Amino acid sequence: MAHIKDALGMTDEDFGSRHEVGDEPVPAELPGGLSDTQLTPLAAMVGAENVKTDSYSRLQLAYGKTMADLIRLRKGVVENLPAAVVCPRSRDDVRALVRHCHEARLPITVFGGGTSVTRGVECMRGGISLDMRVHMRRILELNRVNQTVTVEPGIYGPALEEALNRAPQRFGAQHRYTCGHYPQSFEESTVRVWVVTRGAGQGSTYYGKIEQMVRAQHYITPAGELRTEPYPACSMGPDVDQLMIGSEGAYGILVAVTLQIFRHRPESRAYFSYIFPSWEQAVDAARETLQAEVGRPSTFRLSDPEETQVGLKHYGVEGTLLDTAMRMRGYRPGERCLLLGAADGYPTRSALVKRQVGRIARAHGAMSATGWVTRLWEKGRYADPYLRDDLHDYGVILDTLECAAPWDRVMQVWRAVRGYCKARPRTVCMSHMSHVYPQGTNLYFIFAAKMTELEDYLAFQAGILDTIRQSGAALSHHHGIGKMIAPWLPDALGPEQMELLRAIKRHLDPHNIMNPGGTLALDLPESEQRSVDDAG
Amino acid sequence: MAHIKDALGMTDEDFGSRHEVGDEPVPAELPGGLSDTQLTPLAAMVGAENVKTDSYSRLQLAYGKTMADLIRLRKGVVENLPAAVVCPRSRDDVRALVRHCHEARLPITVFGGGTSVTRGVECMRGGISLDMRVHMRRILELNRVNQTVTVEPGIYGPALEEALNRAPQRFGAQHRYTCGHYPQSFEESTVRVWVVTRGAGQGSTYYGKIEQMVRAQHYITPAGELRTEPYPACSMGPDVDQLMIGSEGAYGILVAVTLQIFRHRPESRAYFSYIFPSWEQAVDAARETLQAEVGRPSTFRLSDPEETQVGLKHYGVEGTLLDTAMRMRGYRPGERCLLLGAADGYPTRSALVKRQVGRIARAHGAMSATGWVTRLWEKGRYADPYLRDDLHDYGVILDTLECAAPWDRVMQVWRAVRGYCKARPRTVCMSHMSHVYPQGTNLYFIFAAKMTELEDYLAFQAGILDTIRQSGAALSHHHGIGKMIAPWLPDALGPEQMELLRAIKRHLDPHNIMNPGGTLALDLPESEQRSVDDAG
């Protein structure tokens, strides 16, 4: 907060009064509802109690969590509402609903947890929003032999994790398990959104992205059901699982998924943190760590100088003896970079990985900042997003965009995005890598500025996306595309890949009822597509 | 050999004379050639010297390496020949050829190395066979920063591996590299077939299957070109890479691929082998090794009792002091199971993995059989397939089929396939797992019997495939589907997945010129599809 206040040139006075806090009462009547003839068959299918048309229910499922959503809510801009909210009780309900909506040409958008930061849940063409969280949140099977769990997609992260951690008590299992997937949205997101957006958790460097964890899926589409088998691997043609993962509700509705799970051994987690003299040396160390075949850490979070400065303040390191020691040894604020991390697995394994990370870090000029800093980060790791609302009370936007790039493009992406943000006066731009691979990394950008108008914000954001695209990075590493990034997708994939995705769409959903209105640019008019020169 | 001789009840006399050795001269005239009006444009595109119509060239590319191919060749059965062999010089040539063949409705089948054991290379509808090995075998880029290599698809395994091992000399790199992919066909296969069949090497337990190694691809299809970017991971909709990998030449032609590579450290490879008292205990140990989060071995090859018996003889262990020690300690022939393995990576990592495998093996009743046995296996590991031809000189078929299953189906699959083979008198059935995952394993079956007629062989093989399917296993773990297993695919995937794959086919190849005639059952008449009751 202090850094942001300084960087944005704000005074205490600016924090004196809040604006547009958005606590006006919900209007009793909202536009775009369904007629009784439309509602009756829905109620017959799932029960009247599972069809909601009141304003509160409809508004609640309207938006996700990108800054554009927050600004619109505060300004009372109500658009792209579901005409009704439907809570299916089972896959039979979903089957009936998809068949009916296909015939009635009624759009279906699925609501997993509402944590989308890409406008994934918005009902651009009205229709119904399926709320999977109400009933479809059961654990269907814990398979101890295969070490997998099969769940309904509406289960929340904490509910799943708690059941797995307590597997001996809950299922009579011999071991405790973990899902290994802890996105920042963990507390508010469901398995569904992890899968359909190709999400990643904060331990993905070891546990993998969700697309590596999925072992089998069941989707219901207008063209029938796709149900894959839990083979550990196979060689049976194109991978239908990987075609459906990331389809963001535009190809069909996920009704069950089998995920691999892992032994839960919090006691053997080995924490470490290092401070590097410069971003360049830190990036080289990250690359070497992943390429040296020493085993992968689970958490590996490397902050650039600006984020390091904020982080050290935020974690309470600034001004401590550790800080003094770092400064005395030449790790200067504004240049130094903080690496937080941990290794998981069998105790000897996690200890070995920790030692090897340390060896490589020191060879790149780093000194240990102890495991204590990482523990501090871990404690508060799900809390940061909540700060955003408070800041916006005082006219500050705080938002994020993230991408991924091969190692040989990482510095150019980082410089370009940072350069774009910093060209705007009084703008914070912090970044880190948190999902690291032998062949590259993600880059996660957090930006803040004084800004209250939606158009200003959208123009600023579009510039960042242009820059990401131009510098040769993937448009998203784990947030998906949704309707927000969709304008950039055709240019990034090229016309042939886009036509392939559209051909699949036409086959699975010929009437375009599944999350229509721009998702993955499948039905986005050419006039709304955005093209940039690609340096990649 | 001795085991096979005993098991098949053969005498020395049976080995007295060879039959149908297939060394008749190649006929000067073969059916199904192209007319001059058809040949002229091809020669204009790629140069006359790169269009071959002589019998030897056409025959050479006609078949792969499944037993049905060998039997047909020996019997002089010549079918499904290419009308001409074309050797493209570059991706520009491929582009021109695909455009021309699309317009002229001329089928294209691609020949990678001819090691297909699923009838992948046969030109069922004639047309041209593209021989990628002649010109399109260049290394396009070794990217040291990203640790990737980009190659043309016609490069052979040994050529690629040698270049990577000698990267300091060849490319001035700091490190030596390995592709980490050593299929049994290594010496005779090219990168193309690894990719388009979803292949796996003998180190896949650590290095991964080929679909995990591919970072970017370039395909030329009748509907245009698909070119993906080398992002380490991304969240940009369905995974087009994973849709094209495994498409077995039916969706388009691979003209370039970027693979991740690994540090080459043969000096730190840690070898081990263990003998288990029973198959059940050995399988449990394999599962625990992969689930315990101790790090993965690269080679992990566990033989069942019948294969163990043959293996110990073959590697020269039978009758040694080691064998005596094993027998004295109760590891009985016919029950005991041999595990061969090695761990790779940074020296401390490979040593740790070796120790942990040992700890788990001993906890499951095993004793060490030393790393020496694994070294013996490694030395001869590419030689076994060559034995097949010699055996068939004496009327013996020796062939393999392989599948994959989650752990909770492994024993039922093994029992069912073994039961089927052993129900036939004097039939050898050996099996092993060689690609092991936390969620399951492959199972590789080697069978041998006295058999000379093609119909007998095909009927026997069909029974094994029925059994694999029935017992809930994947139809293939790494050999692909080709035209041979295609009849079983629609039943295994179900009509919805098949229709999805066909919709993609119609989009990418509307005139069905790409490897037509049964590949992946995309155009297989219903009458030729095979259906079994699924227990999975």
Side-chain angles (χ1 to χ4, degrees), chain A residues 141 143-148 175 177 197-199 206-207 209 211 215 223-240 242-248 251 259-263 265 287-288 290-296 344-346 348-349 352 355-356 359 402 404-409 437-442 469 472-481 489 492-493 496-497 499-501 503-504 506-508 520 534 536, chain B residues 141 143-148 175 177 197-199 206-207 209 211 215 223-240 242-248 251 259-263 265 287-288 290-296 344-346 348-350 352 355-356 359 402 404-409 437-442 469 472-481 489 492-493 496-497 499-501 503-504 506-508 520 534 536:
Chain A
E141 188 199 11
N143 188 317
R144 287 170 272 171
V145 180
N146 294 345
Q147 217 165 271
T148 55
H175 302 285
Y177 298 108
T197 62
R198 297 189 163 265
Y206 175 63
Y207 293 107
K209 281 188 76 189
E211 59 261 39
R215 296 266 60 85
E225 305 192 20
L226 299 169
R227 208 170 175 159
T228 59
E229 287 287 317
Y231 304 134
C234 72
S235 170
M236 293 168 69
D239 189 331
V240 171
Q242 294 299 331
L243 184 67
M244 297 304 291
I245 297 173
S247 59
E248 302 196 9
Y251 283 174
L259 299 172
Q260 64 179 83
I261 54 178
F262 305 85
R263 302 274 170 90
R265 291 203 187 85
R287 180 162 73 85
E288 177 64 15
L290 271 289
Q291 293 184 343
E293 310 281 326
V294 295
R296 298 188 185 187
D344 284 2
Y346 195 80
T348 48
R349 182 203 178 271
L352 174 67
R355 272 201 310 279
Q356 292 295 333
R359 178 181 63 79
E402 45 89 40
W407 287 116
D408 62 355
R409 298 183 197 164
Y437 305 85
Q439 276 64 49
T441 181
N442 80 317
R469 173 80 195 96
L475 289 170
S476 171
H477 171 267
H478 61 271
H479 284 168
I481 295 297
L489 191 67
L493 294 184
E496 292 88 353
Q497 283 189 59
E499 276 313 309
L500 174 58
L501 298 185
I504 296 166
R506 283 191 298 272
H507 172 73
L508 292 176
L520 292 171
D534 179 6
Chain B
E141 188 199 10
N143 188 317
R144 288 170 271 172
V145 179
N146 294 345
Q147 218 165 272
T148 55
H175 300 286
Y177 298 108
T197 62
R198 297 191 163 265
Y206 176 62
Y207 294 106
K209 281 188 76 191
E211 59 261 39
R215 296 267 59 84
E225 304 191 22
L226 299 169
R227 208 171 174 156
T228 59
E229 287 285 320
Y231 305 134
C234 72
S235 170
M236 293 168 69
D239 190 332
V240 171
Q242 294 298 331
L243 184 66
M244 297 304 291
I245 298 173
S247 59
E248 302 196 10
Y251 284 174
L259 299 171
Q260 65 180 82
I261 54 178
F262 305 85
R263 302 273 171 90
R265 291 202 187 87
R287 181 163 72 86
E288 176 64 15
L290 272 288
Q291 291 183 345
E293 309 281 324
V294 295
R296 297 188 185 188
D344 284 0
Y346 195 80
T348 48
R349 182 202 177 272
S350 57
L352 174 67
R355 272 201 309 279
Q356 291 295 332
R359 177 182 64 79
E402 45 88 41
W407 286 116
D408 62 354
R409 299 182 196 166
Y437 305 84
Q439 276 65 49
T441 182
N442 80 315
R469 173 79 196 98
L475 289 170
S476 172
H477 170 267
H478 61 272
H479 285 167
I481 294 297
L489 191 67
L493 295 183
E496 292 89 351
Q497 283 189 60
E499 277 312 309
L500 174 58
L501 298 186
I504 296 167
R506 284 191 297 273
H507 172 73
L508 292 176
L520 292 170
D534 179 7

Side-chain angles (χ1 to χ4, degrees), chain A residues 195-325:
Chain A
V195 174
V196 303
T197 62
R198 297 189 163 265
Q202 292 170 342
S204 79
T205 297
Y206 175 63
Y207 293 107
K209 281 188 76 189
I210 197 76
E211 59 261 39
Q212 284 136 3
M213 298 176 172
V214 169
R215 296 266 60 85
Q217 300 174 96
H218 185 183
Y219 284 88
I220 295 176
T221 85
E225 305 192 20
L226 299 169
R227 208 170 175 159
T228 59
E229 287 287 317
Y231 304 134
C234 72
S235 170
M236 293 168 69
D239 189 331
V240 171
D241 272 317
Q242 294 299 331
L243 184 67
M244 297 304 291
I245 297 173
S247 59
E248 302 196 9
Y251 283 174
I253 298 176
L254 182 69
V255 291
V257 59
T258 300
L259 299 172
Q260 64 179 83
I261 54 178
F262 305 85
R263 302 274 170 90
H264 184 52
R265 291 203 187 85
E267 67 285 357
S268 76
R269 176 164 289 178
Y271 294 88
F272 55 82
S273 78
Y274 287 90
I275 191 92
F276 288 86
S278 74
W279 179 234
E280 286 73 12
Q281 279 163 291
V283 172
D284 281 349
R287 180 162 73 85
E288 177 64 15
T289 304
L290 271 289
Q291 293 184 343
E293 310 281 326
V294 295
R296 298 188 185 187
S298 52
T299 301
F300 194 91
R301 190 183 170 90
L302 177 63
S303 296
D304 76 350
E306 185 159 346
E307 188 175 279
T308 295
Q309 206 161 337
V310 176
L312 290 177
K313 207 171 274 188
H314 188 58
Y315 309 134
V317 176
E318 206 183 58
T320 62
L321 274 177
L322 176 62
D323 186 26
T324 312

Side-chain angles (χ1 to χ4, degrees), chain B residues 127-448:
Chain B
I128 62 174
S129 181
L130 290 202
D131 190 342
M132 305 298 274
R133 306 165 304 169
V134 181
H135 304 295
M136 294 190 66
R137 55 181 192 182
R138 285 159 286 225
I139 294 178
L140 303 175
E141 188 199 10
L142 180 92
N143 188 317
R144 288 170 271 172
V145 179
N146 294 345
Q147 218 165 272
T148 55
V149 68
T150 302
V151 296
E152 288 181 325
I155 189 169
Y156 276 105
L160 172 61
E161 184 65 14
E162 200 261 341
L164 294 175
N165 288 177
R166 299 184 64 246
Q169 297 92 317
R170 283 281 299 268
F171 305 98
Q174 192 188 343
H175 300 286
R176 305 171 68 194
Y177 298 108
T178 175
C179 72
H181 190 86
Y182 329 108
Q184 188 152 45
S185 64
F186 187 69
E187 294 174 338
E188 300 285 330
S189 66
T190 62
V191 170
R192 175 186 181 273
V193 299
W194 301 353
V195 174
V196 304
T197 62
R198 297 191 163 265
Q202 291 171 344
S204 80
T205 297
Y206 176 62
Y207 294 106
K209 281 188 76 191
I210 197 75
E211 59 261 39
Q212 283 137 3
M213 298 176 172
V214 169
R215 296 267 59 84
Q217 298 175 100
H218 184 184
Y219 284 89
I220 295 176
T221 85
E225 304 191 22
L226 299 169
R227 208 171 174 156
T228 59
E229 287 285 320
Y231 305 134
C234 72
S235 170
M236 293 168 69
D239 190 332
V240 171
D241 272 318
Q242 294 298 331
L243 184 66
M244 297 304 291
I245 298 173
S247 59
E248 302 196 10
Y251 284 174
I253 298 177
L254 182 68
V255 291
V257 59
T258 300
L259 299 171
Q260 65 180 82
I261 54 178
F262 305 85
R263 302 273 171 90
H264 184 52
R265 291 202 187 87
E267 66 285 358
S268 77
R269 176 165 290 177
Y271 294 88
F272 54 83
S273 79
Y274 286 90
I275 192 92
F276 289 86
S278 73
W279 179 234
E280 286 72 14
Q281 279 163 289
V283 172
D284 281 350
R287 181 163 72 86
E288 176 64 15
T289 304
L290 272 288
Q291 291 183 345
E293 309 281 324
V294 295
R296 297 188 185 188
S298 51
T299 302
F300 194 91
R301 189 183 171 91
L302 177 64
S303 296
D304 77 349
E306 185 161 345
E307 188 175 279
T308 296
Q309 206 161 335
V310 177
L312 290 177
K313 207 170 277 189
H314 188 58
Y315 310 135
V317 175
E318 206 184 59
T320 61
L321 275 175
L322 176 62
D323 186 27
T324 313
M326 292 193 299
R327 285 168 193 254
M328 281 179 60
R329 291 180 58 181
Y331 299 92
R332 279 188 290 270
E335 292 173 10
R336 63 191 180 182
C337 291
L338 181 64
L339 167 67
L340 303 178
D344 284 0
Y346 195 80
T348 48
R349 182 202 177 272
S350 57
L352 174 67
V353 171
K354 176 181 166 166
R355 272 201 309 279
Q356 291 295 332
V357 171
R359 177 182 64 79
I360 294 167
R362 281 187 296 272
H364 287 79
M367 75 171 260
S368 169
T370 80
W372 164 69
V373 186
T374 303
R375 285 175 192 267
L376 286 172
W377 164 80
E378 197 179 53
K379 235 175 169 171
R381 65 175 161 173
Y382 304 129
D384 292 354
Y386 301 104
L387 179 68
R388 227 161 44 145
D389 269 309
D390 293 332
L391 278 172
H392 202 59
D393 284 354
Y394 308 103
V396 174
I397 62 117
L398 175 77
D399 209 2
T400 66
L401 279 170
E402 45 88 41
C403 62
W407 286 116
D408 62 354
R409 299 182 196 166
V410 167
M411 289 308 289
Q412 81 194 29
V413 175
W414 178 78
R415 277 196 204 102
V417 174
R418 201 174 150 71
Y420 170 82
C421 290
K422 288 300 198 183
R424 193 181 178 283
R426 294 182 180 164
T427 302
V428 170
C429 178
M430 310 187 284
S431 52
H432 62 254
M433 51 180 72
S434 44
H435 310 269
V436 197
Y437 305 84
Q439 276 65 49
T441 182
N442 80 315
L443 276 177
Y444 197 102
F445 296 98
I446 303 169
F447 42 93

Side-chain angles (χ1 to χ4, degrees), chain A residues 43-169:
Chain A
M45 273 177 256
V46 300
E49 70 283 12
N50 289 312
V51 180
K52 297 168 188 168
T53 54
D54 62 289
S55 301
Y56 184 75
S57 298
R58 290 171 59 198
L59 261 179
Q60 210 191 8
L61 267 62
Y63 291 155
K65 297 282 185 216
T66 184
M67 204 68 219
D69 300 338
L70 270 58
I71 297 175
R72 283 184 292 173
L73 279 176
R74 283 166 184 262
K75 292 190 183 292
V77 176
V78 166
E79 54 187 0
N80 310 325
L81 279 177
V85 172
V86 178
C87 310
R89 295 160 303 182
S90 66
R91 63 183 96 182
D92 287 340
D93 279 357
V94 175
R95 196 173 284 131
L97 285 164
V98 169
R99 196 180 303 124
H100 171 78
C101 290
H102 174 63
E103 280 159 16
R105 313 286 198 270
L106 189 63
I108 308 183
T109 301
V110 183
F111 191 89
T115 54
S116 173
V117 290
T118 60
R119 302 183 58 191
V121 301
E122 259 174 82
C123 300
M124 309 298 281
R125 305 272 178 273
I128 61 173
S129 182
L130 289 203
D131 191 342
M132 304 298 274
R133 306 165 305 168
V134 181
H135 305 295
M136 293 189 67
R137 55 180 191 182
R138 286 159 286 226
I139 294 176
L140 302 175
E141 188 199 11
L142 181 91
N143 188 317
R144 287 170 272 171
V145 180
N146 294 345
Q147 217 165 271
T148 55
V149 68
T150 303
V151 296
E152 289 181 324
I155 189 169
Y156 275 106
L160 173 60
E161 185 65 13
E162 199 261 342
L164 294 175
N165 289 176
R166 298 183 64 248
Q169 298 91 319

Side-chain angles (χ1 to χ4, degrees), chain B residues 81-124:
Chain B
L81 280 176
V85 172
V86 178
C87 309
R89 296 160 302 182
S90 66
R91 64 183 97 183
D92 287 339
D93 278 358
V94 175
R95 196 173 285 129
L97 286 164
V98 168
R99 195 180 304 124
H100 170 78
C101 292
H102 174 63
E103 281 159 17
R105 313 286 199 269
L106 188 64
I108 308 182
T109 301
V110 184
F111 190 90
T115 54
S116 173
V117 290
T118 60
R119 302 183 59 191
V121 300
E122 258 175 83
C123 299
M124 310 298 281

